[in-house]
Amino acid sequence: MDNAEKHLYSQMGSIARLLGNGHRMEILVHLAEKDLSVNILSALTGLSINNISKHLQTLRHGNFVLCQKKGRSNIYKLADDSIKSFLTSLRFFVESDNGAKDK
């Protein structure tokens, strides 16, 4: 295995760790439906505004979401359409017989 391939697998592992939080996955699914503010995400998820902001900061650093200022609000959206496709595929996998089963 060459260094480029090792680097690719390392990046994939970093992304898996970043997405390994259920709250972040829920936030991404909501953002796949429409662009939202921190306040609305907080209401949808039941998480505090501070907690949502921390998760969004992590997702921004991972290049999963973008932030756009609209008036006094910051509106968040998915950084790329491929993220929505990934979320759809992941959900299909989990809901199918191939996905991990709860024990």
Side-chain angles (χ1 to χ4, degrees):
M1 180 181 327
D2 64 11
N3 284 339
E5 199 170 359
K6 285 183 181 185
H7 180 69
L8 174 67
Y9 293 140
S10 176
Q11 286 180 307
M12 290 170 71
S14 295
I15 289 169
R17 281 188 297 280
L18 186 140
L19 296 177
N21 180 289
H23 296 304
R24 287 189 205 123
M25 294 302 295
E26 183 179 5
I27 290 166
L28 288 172
V29 168
H30 285 301
L31 292 176
E33 294 171 7
K34 73 186 283 188
D35 303 351
L36 298 166
S37 69
V38 173
N39 290 340
I40 294 174
L41 282 166
S42 176
L44 289 170
T45 62
L47 297 172
S48 70
I49 289 172
N50 191 35
N51 201 343
I52 288 287
S53 294
K54 288 179 183 179
H55 285 300
L56 286 168
Q57 181 180 17
T58 299
L59 291 167
R60 281 181 69 189
H61 288 299
N63 297 317
F64 280 88
V65 299
L66 300 173
C67 178
Q68 183 177 23
K69 190 92 168 153
K70 283 196 177 177
R72 291 184 172 181
S73 298
N74 289 325
I75 305 299
Y76 288 85
K77 66 179 186 174
L78 293 183
D80 190 271
D81 286 340
S82 65
I83 298 165
K84 188 173 184 175
S85 298
F86 171 76
L87 292 169
T88 301
S89 295
L90 182 60
R91 184 175 191 134
F92 178 77
F93 177 76
V94 170
E95 290 177 343
S96 73
D97 289 336
N98 297 320
K101 303 280 186 205
D102 287 334
K103 293 186 181 192

